[in-house]
Amino acid sequence: MERSASGWINGLIGVIIFSGSLPATRVAVQQFDPVFLTVARAAIAGLLALALLVVFRQKRPSRADFASLLIVALGVVVGFPLFTALALQHVTSAHSIVFIGLLPLATAIFGVIRGGERPRPAFWIFSVAGSALVAGFALSQGVSASPLGDILMLAAIIVCGLGYAEGGRLSRTLGGWQVISWALVISLPIMAVLTVVYLPPTFAGIDAPAWFSLAYVSLFSMLIGFVFWYRGLAQGGIAAVGQLQLLQPFFGLALAATLLREAVTPIMLVVTVAVILCVAGARRFAK
């Protein structure tokens, strides 16, 4: 019970940190190219992760772990940041944040496929209900909102769910911060080269909010958040703790409204509250 409670606490801290990712990305892509933003944040986080592994003298992961680390890297180091950065050129962060409500279902599905977890049937009712609310919201906006932006966000959710589940499974043996650190280090050579390739010709005109946003997604979204998140998934279960992601739209919408002055419509709030209510039922039947 104590381990499970610790898992929920760590998971909640991770969700709170991740909640600032989309608003920060939205600010950053106004002045940075989405591809540059993706590779730069991964390269910066990769250098920090490498330093941590060296300072704490961590052993190299086994060959058997390499494939899983590669999946984590493709899912959360490259895939999710790139797809969301591209999507946020077409939709607002408030609109994209609601799609995060699909992440618990995606994570739970991959938790079954990759993590060997078996939630009770009632769990899926609550998880699917929350996801249906999010999908219904997206459809209610009409295809004129931005079909491309919605497709990119859905792609981001799929690869992120896989990366979350794979990282949570591997964290049981390798450790939470070690998993994201090694995934970042594996990606570092390519990300560093691409950062140079996509380096803007000049940084003149890049204002402080854009630099702050780049720093946030590099340090918090790409590294620190995962330290808590993967530890939480390993301790409390991938499917169960994964439902905490239903809280992320609430935190994210609050940030979008207060920091970016984006409009948060009543239907966004209704959908978010309804989705949050699903976490209680899903948590009860997760195991």
Side-chain angles (χ1 to χ4, degrees):
M1 181 64 70
E2 182 179 346
R3 180 178 174 83
S4 178
S6 180
W8 281 85
I9 292 172
N10 282 310
L12 181 59
I13 294 173
V15 166
I16 293 173
I17 292 174
F18 290 151
S19 296
S21 299
L22 292 181
T25 301
R26 174 68 172 173
V27 172
V29 296
Q30 302 303 308
Q31 298 184 356
F32 289 114
D33 176 78
V35 177
F36 171 76
L37 178 65
T38 299
V39 296
R41 66 188 279 184
I44 293 170
L47 290 172
L48 294 172
L50 179 60
L52 286 174
L53 292 170
V54 171
V55 169
F56 290 100
R57 300 180 180 180
Q58 295 298 301
K59 294 182 180 179
R60 294 181 181 179
S62 66
R63 289 186 178 182
D65 293 333
F66 182 80
S68 292
L69 288 170
L70 187 59
I71 291 175
V72 173
L74 291 174
V76 303
V77 176
V78 180
F80 183 76
L82 179 59
F83 285 136
T84 53
L86 293 172
L88 286 167
Q89 289 189 312
H90 304 279
V91 299
T92 66
S93 63
H95 181 85
S96 65
I97 283 168
V98 184
F99 277 82
I100 300 301
L102 291 170
L103 261 177
L105 180 59
T107 304
I109 291 173
F110 286 116
V112 170
I113 297 173
R114 298 294 301 171
E117 297 189 352
R118 294 294 182 269
R120 285 185 278 176
F123 165 86
W124 297 107
I125 295 176
F126 287 102
S127 188
V128 170
S131 299
L133 286 167
V134 174
F137 165 77
L139 292 175
S140 72
Q141 305 304 295
V143 294
S144 60
S146 177
L148 178 58
D150 287 350
I151 290 172
L152 288 168
M153 281 305 303
L154 287 173
I157 295 307
I158 293 172
V159 298
C160 189
L162 174 59
Y164 279 173
E166 193 69 21
R169 183 187 69 80
L170 191 57
S171 295
R172 297 168 184 167
T173 55
L174 195 60
W177 74 268
Q178 292 91 337
V179 167
I180 188 58
S181 294
W182 283 116
L184 286 165
V185 169
I186 287 175
S187 310
L188 182 56
I190 296 177
M191 295 298 103
V193 171
L194 290 177
T195 299
V196 175
V197 171
Y198 285 94
L199 197 69
T202 177
F203 289 108
I206 306 296
D207 57 26
W211 284 114
F212 176 81
S213 297
L214 173 59
Y216 185 91
V217 296
S218 301
L219 181 59
F220 290 93
S221 304
M222 200 83 269
L223 182 59
I224 296 177
F226 280 102
V227 172
F228 293 99
W229 181 241
Y230 278 152
R231 183 173 178 80
L233 292 178
Q235 291 176 327
I238 297 170
V241 175
Q243 298 307 299
L244 281 171
Q245 295 166 104
L246 292 172
L247 299 174
Q248 191 166 328
F250 175 80
F251 296 122
L253 287 173
L255 286 172
T258 56
L259 298 181
L260 304 183
R261 298 294 188 269
E262 291 185 356
V264 178
T265 63
I267 190 172
M268 287 182 183
L269 294 176
V270 171
V271 171
T272 301
V273 172
V275 167
I276 289 172
L277 291 176
C278 292
V279 75
R283 179 176 182 262
R284 181 177 180 182
F285 297 103
K287 293 184 178 181

